């Protein structure tokens, strides 16, 4: 049963957790990303005037278009709620740069426009279609936000050219993108412009993938770009995580638009493998920096977790599309895991600095000089968030995610052309009034599980029962289907319920070797970690699970947690036949997304337990 999504444009985030994150996003992150892009030449690059002899540090890179387009997209979601003329001016100037430099036949890419158009569409791994896709997304969002159609018109010209080159002339040196993303962007362009051609182009890229002789495997590896099998036969979450997740998001969108159940079933299988075998507890993905990729089932090392912020975000995008196709709490649970953990950890609490990689453990010894040469030390990320990276895909991605968080909350189904059931996928204090439906969610979630929903214009409200909610408590009767509690609101207009949040230990499969004999701690959707900022040491504590988990206050918008157990007296003997001395002790824990905000510290997510 397909659902209709309600765009963040119509949704007001009212108060609480996400409202304060949006405020920081708007007042700090938006400018922080722009200013650093400006300082590093990414903004002026759109005037296409860089030439040899100019500042080498500002020499345009293959996928700068995508970074800036993502920033424009994020800015546009902010503009949907607030008129900011100075922001529009910045965007309009970038769009003018595109307009002035777009070729007559409709091509634009900062790198190729500067360094030679003869090279265009000759190298599959050079990100042109990825960059185009991000421009399409940004142009749609900017048009939706402001009604200005210049950028959108330019991008339609570009999409028409891509259609001609790939579908009609077949003159490109490759058939499908090395870095997917354009697929989901074409669906957005199709929905915004209503032009069938863009849906057809998306279908072309999806259907040709893994089924043509033209695409050479990237880095000699069919898995890397997810070329191994035709997508309708896909089973495993393989290859470069971000590429695969974006691709499967586009495949799901295509299935949604065309009703292609074979493709939808493939999306289901791949997501199941990703979420049940190849995902960190934080929703992070990518077990190695080598190829930023999925590796094998249960291979989830903590210290060297790649878990790129973009990988989490793209997993959330993928799962959200699945819940629109077929509401099942399984998908919203994944979205929620990503939102409160592996994606949110990508930005500092003050909104000014970013993690590209999000490990689950940080140990000082790994940073000690002499142990690792430079190459090896690259396994270990900087211990605090950075203001910018040379590869800066993650900062604007988290900007656009937080600005568009409203997209993930609601959808509705219809019966005989009329709105029937309003779905609540995420518990975020918000309201909207659109298409004859109005709704209002009041909650302090994730701090507290009490939720009140008011709605009109529908007969039923279906609310996701998260996997950690053993019983959804409500005075109003409800029925359960696919993990959603359905409330009949034909005679009432408000429901209240409690998700019964609790702190709990979570254990890994023993094939995740790093986690043997350990447990993670979660409260609602939030994973916790322990840092030396709060604890003298995080290396010699064994939690006693029988003593439970104590909530001692509130920190970073969630409960502060203390574990009780045993602290081993640290000795300097390397080996000893003496049984270690252990005394009662405690360990303070904070939400994982807030780690590394108080300087460089050791951090652990999985805690040794004494059962
Ligand atoms: O290749 C472009 C982006 O840079 C990818 O999406 C990220 O994973 C990073 O490699
Ligand atoms: Zn990234």
């Amino acid at each position: 049963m397909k659902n209709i999504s309600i765009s963040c444009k119509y949704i007001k985030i009212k108060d609480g957790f996400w409202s304060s994150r949006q405020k920081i996003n708007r007042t700090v992150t938006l400018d922080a990303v722009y200013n650093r892009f400006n300082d590093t030449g990414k903004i002026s690059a759109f005037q296409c005037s860089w030439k040899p002899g100019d500042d080498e540090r500002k020499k345009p890179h293959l996928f700068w278009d995508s970074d800036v387009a993502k920033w424009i997209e994020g800015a546009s979601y902010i503009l949907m709620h607030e008129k900011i003329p100075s922001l529009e001016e910045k965007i309009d100037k970038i769009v003018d740069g595109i307009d002035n430099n777009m070729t007559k036949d409709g091509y634009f890419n900062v790198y190729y426009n500067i360094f030679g158009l003869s090279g265009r569409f000759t190298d599959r791994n050079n990100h042109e279609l990825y960059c185009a896709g991000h421009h399409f997304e940004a142009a749609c969002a900017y048009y939706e936000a402001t009604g200005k159609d210049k950028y959108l018109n330019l991008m339609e010209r570009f999409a028409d050219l891509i259609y001609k080159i790939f579908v009609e002339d077949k003159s490109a040196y490759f058939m499908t993108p090395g870095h997917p993303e354009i697929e989901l962007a074409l669906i957005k362009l199709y929905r915004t412009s209503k032009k069938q051609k863009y849906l057809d182009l998306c279908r072309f890229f999806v259907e040709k993938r893994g089924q043509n002789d033209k695409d050479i495997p990237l880095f000699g590896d069919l898995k890397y770009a997810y070329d191994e099998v035709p997508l309708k036969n896909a089973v495993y979450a393989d290859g470069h995580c971000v590429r695969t997740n974006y691709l499967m998001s586009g495949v799901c969108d295509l299935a949604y638009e065309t009703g292609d159940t074979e493709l939808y079933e493939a999306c289901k299988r791949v997501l199941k493998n990703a979420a049940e075998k190849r995902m960190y507890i934080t929703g992070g993905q990518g077990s190695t920096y080598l190829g930023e990729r999925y590796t094998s089932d249960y291979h989830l090392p903590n210290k060297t977790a790649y878990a790129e912020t973009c990988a989490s975000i793209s997993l959330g995008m993928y799962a959200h599309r699945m819940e629109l196709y077929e509401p099942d709490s399984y998908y919203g649970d994944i979205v929620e895991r990503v939102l409160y953990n592996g994606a949110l950890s990508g930005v500092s609490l003050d909104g000014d600095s970013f993690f590209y990689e999000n490990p689950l453990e940080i140990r000082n010894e790994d940073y000690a000089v002499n142990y690792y040469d430079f190459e090896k030390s690259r396994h270990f990320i900087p211990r605090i968030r950075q203001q910018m990276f040379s590869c800066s895909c993650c900062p604007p991605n988290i900007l656009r995610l937080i600005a568009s968080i409203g997209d993930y909350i609601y959808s509705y189904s219809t019966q005989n052309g009329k709105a029937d059931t309003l779905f609540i996928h995420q518990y975020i204090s918000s309201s909207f009034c659109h298409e004859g439906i109005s709704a209002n969610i009041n909650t302090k979630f994730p701090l507290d599980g009490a939720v009140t929903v008011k709605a009109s214009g529908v007969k039923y409200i279906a609310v996701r029962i998260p996997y950690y909610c053993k019983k959804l408590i409500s005075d109003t009767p409800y029925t359960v289907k696919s993990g959603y509690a359905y409330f009949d609101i034909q005679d009432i207009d408000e429901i209240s319920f409690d998700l019964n949040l609790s702190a709990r230990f979570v254990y890994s499969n023993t094939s995740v070797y790093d986690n043997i004999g350990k447990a993670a701690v979660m409260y609602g959707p939030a994973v916790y970690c322990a840092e030396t900022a709060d604890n003298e040491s995080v290396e010699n504590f064994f939690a006693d699970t029988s003593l439970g988990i104590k909530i001692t206050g509130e920190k970073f918008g969630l409960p502060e947690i203390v574990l009780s157990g045993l602290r081993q007296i640290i000795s300097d003997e390397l080996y000893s036949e003496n049984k270690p001395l252990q005394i009662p002790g405690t360990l303070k824990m904070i939400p994982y997304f807030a780690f590394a905000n108080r300087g460089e510290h050791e951090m652990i997510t999985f805690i040794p337990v004494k059962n």
Side-chain angles (χ1 to χ4, degrees):
M1 182 206 15
K2 281 196 236 164
N3 257 342
I4 299 166
S5 69
I6 296 172
S7 156
C8 61
K9 178 174 173 179
Y10 305 105
I11 294 163
K12 179 176 162 32
I13 306 296
K14 292 191 309 191
D15 46 30
F17 191 88
W18 288 103
S19 146
S20 46
R21 296 307 310 198
Q22 280 202 333
K23 194 164 166 210
I24 294 164
N25 204 42
R26 152 77 183 92
T27 55
V28 180
T29 312
L30 176 67
D31 287 341
V33 175
Y34 179 86
N35 291 340
R36 277 156 222 153
F37 280 1
N38 198 27
D39 294 346
T40 50
K42 290 191 173 73
I43 302 293
S44 58
F46 279 74
Q47 306 311 320
C48 296
S49 55
W50 191 93
K51 50 185 185 328
D54 287 355
D55 189 346
E56 275 295 316
R57 287 166 304 176
K58 295 189 175 177
K59 183 176 172 186
H61 178 273
L62 281 171
F63 49 87
W64 276 9
D65 283 82
S66 66
D67 296 337
V68 175
K70 254 182 284 181
W71 176 81
I72 297 179
E73 189 189 339
S76 300
Y77 296 134
I78 290 168
L79 287 169
M80 286 176 181
H81 297 277
E82 188 184 346
K83 180 102 187 132
I84 314 172
S86 56
L87 184 56
E88 285 186 38
E89 258 171 51
K90 284 178 182 153
I91 296 173
D92 291 342
K93 199 164 167 206
I94 296 168
V95 174
D96 286 345
I98 298 175
D99 190 19
N100 295 336
N101 292 286
M102 182 171 259
T103 61
K104 276 207 180 70
D105 64 356
Y107 182 87
F108 183 82
N109 176 290
V110 160
Y111 182 86
Y112 282 99
N113 280 69
I114 293 175
F115 295 109
L117 288 159
S118 59
R120 74 184 199 183
F121 299 129
T122 58
D123 187 335
R124 187 176 183 226
N125 204 19
N126 276 2
H127 290 62
E128 286 161 284
L129 295 175
Y130 166 75
C131 287
H134 275 303
H135 274 307
F136 299 168
E137 284 203 87
C140 292
Y142 193 53
Y143 170 70
E144 292 286 343
T146 61
K148 293 183 187 172
D149 62 2
K150 182 170 175 177
Y151 192 16
L152 183 63
N153 291 336
L154 289 166
M155 288 307 126
E156 284 190 28
R157 280 182 59 203
F158 195 5
D160 292 344
L161 175 72
I162 294 171
Y163 186 92
K164 184 172 178 322
I165 289 182
F166 282 82
V167 181
E168 291 172 356
D169 300 349
K170 303 196 169 25
S171 57
Y173 284 28
F174 51 93
M175 189 84 92
T176 69
H179 192 314
E181 197 280 339
I182 193 169
E183 299 82 356
L184 73 92
L186 281 164
I187 299 288
K188 280 197 183 169
L189 198 58
Y190 161 68
R191 288 175 181 158
T192 307
S193 68
K194 312 271 182 287
K195 292 185 184 159
Q196 172 73 27
K197 198 175 187 178
Y198 306 139
L199 179 72
D200 294 344
L201 183 55
C202 170
R203 196 199 320 253
F204 174 88
F205 287 137
V206 169
E207 287 181 353
K208 294 292 176 203
R209 193 166 208 99
Q211 317 212 60
N212 72 79
D213 298 330
K214 214 171 175 182
D215 285 340
I216 49 153
L218 303 181
F219 309 112
D221 175 0
L222 278 173
K223 271 189 184 161
Y224 179 81
Y226 216 54
D227 292 332
E228 239 183 347
V229 292
L231 289 171
K232 62 177 187 282
N233 300 338
V235 176
Y236 298 105
D238 267 328
H240 181 278
C241 300
V242 181
R243 296 180 197 220
T244 301
N245 290 343
Y246 280 154
L247 173 63
M248 296 313 287
S249 301
V251 174
C252 185
D253 279 342
L254 181 66
Y256 180 101
E257 292 297 339
T258 60
D260 187 328
T261 49
E262 247 186 335
L263 284 179
Y264 176 67
E265 289 303 322
C267 290
K268 252 175 144 169
R269 290 191 296 270
V270 172
L271 187 61
K272 190 171 158 58
N273 178 244
E276 295 178 20
K277 302 280 186 274
R278 300 179 179 195
M279 180 184 76
Y280 285 95
I281 193 167
T282 55
Q285 292 190 308
S287 307
T288 169
Y289 80 99
L290 292 166
E292 312 180 301
R293 64 194 295 169
Y294 288 109
T295 52
S296 52
D297 289 354
Y298 301 113
H299 176 236
L300 295 162
N302 290 327
K303 291 199 292 186
T304 52
Y306 197 67
E308 183 187 339
T309 303
C310 288
S312 286
I313 293 175
S314 55
L315 177 70
M317 290 165 62
Y318 178 7
H320 173 58
R321 282 159 167 82
M322 296 295 284
E323 74 193 352
L324 293 178
Y325 193 108
E326 185 183 30
D328 185 314
S329 61
Y330 184 81
Y331 304 123
D333 286 347
I334 296 173
V335 174
E336 189 183 67
R337 189 184 289 275
V338 159
L339 290 181
Y340 290 94
N341 302 292
L344 196 53
S345 60
V347 58
S348 60
L349 293 172
D350 65 9
D352 190 49
S353 52
F354 308 90
F355 269 149
Y356 185 105
E357 296 166 55
N358 297 272
L360 278 81
E361 181 169 337
I362 295 179
R363 297 287 189 182
N364 287 342
E365 64 180 15
D366 293 321
Y367 295 82
V369 279
N370 299 333
Y371 288 167
Y372 296 94
D373 59 27
F374 176 68
E375 264 314 298
K376 280 188 192 151
S377 69
R378 266 168 39 89
H379 293 249
F380 302 101
I381 61 155
R383 277 170 286 182
I384 46 171
R385 291 172 184 79
Q386 306 295 295
Q387 298 207 315
M388 197 43 70
F389 307 89
S390 52
C391 172
S392 48
C393 47
C394 301
N397 219 356
I398 192 79
L399 170 82
R400 72 173 179 156
L401 173 76
I402 294 176
S404 63
I405 198 83
D407 276 351
Y408 294 86
I409 306 175
Y410 305 93
S411 67
Y412 67 98
S413 65
T414 56
Q415 278 290 346
N416 306 321
K418 280 188 149 178
D420 182 71
T421 305
L422 177 71
F423 286 85
I424 311 276
H425 305 294
Q426 298 302 324
Y427 296 108
I428 297 179
S429 207
S430 59
S431 63
F432 79 88
C433 187
H434 181 59
E435 299 281 344
I437 307 172
S438 64
N440 199 323
I441 302 178
N442 277 319
T443 181
K444 290 199 179 104
F445 187 90
L447 183 62
D448 184 288
V451 185
T452 301
V453 185
K454 245 188 182 174
S456 65
V458 287
K459 291 184 186 163
Y460 306 96
I461 299 177
V463 305
R464 180 175 57 88
I465 308 172
Y467 61 99
Y468 48 81
C469 170
K470 301 295 172 248
K471 179 147 180 59
L472 185 139
I473 303 157
S474 179
D475 290 340
T476 313
Y478 62 86
T479 53
V480 177
K481 193 179 144 206
S482 304
Y484 281 78
Y486 284 70
F487 293 88
D488 184 336
I489 59 152
Q490 291 175 87
D491 298 322
I492 48 171
D493 67 353
E494 182 176 297
I495 55 166
S496 292
F497 53 92
D498 202 310
L499 299 169
N500 212 2
L501 301 186
S502 61
R504 59 203 192 275
F505 289 104
V506 182
Y507 304 89
S508 287
N509 186 292
T510 47
S511 294
V512 185
Y513 300 136
D514 266 11
N515 298 340
I516 293 176
K518 298 178 186 170
V521 173
M522 292 185 76
Y523 176 85
V527 174
Y528 275 65
C529 68
E531 274 196 312
T532 45
D534 303 297
N535 301 283
E536 204 175 306
S537 157
V538 294
E539 71 185 21
N540 58 343
F541 179 80
F542 297 83
D544 185 337
T545 53
S546 70
L547 297 177
I549 300 172
K550 209 160 145 197
I551 292 180
T552 49
E554 193 187 317
K555 203 147 190 176
F556 309 122
L558 272 151
E560 185 182 51
I561 276 174
V562 173
L563 302 182
S564 298
L566 294 174
R567 277 219 175 261
Q568 188 154 320
I569 302 299
I570 298 175
S571 114
D572 58 4
E573 279 178 320
L574 183 54
Y575 306 109
S576 168
E577 289 182 17
N578 298 324
K579 197 171 170 200
L581 195 60
Q582 295 178 326
I583 56 166
T586 56
L587 187 77
K588 233 186 211 175
M589 300 194 78
I590 58 159
Y592 170 80
F593 69 76
F595 85 93
N597 272 283
R598 295 166 293 170
E600 293 184 349
H601 288 284
E602 292 206 323
M603 181 274 284
I604 54 171
T605 307
F606 278 88
I607 316 292
V609 289
K610 168 200 164 302
N611 276 319

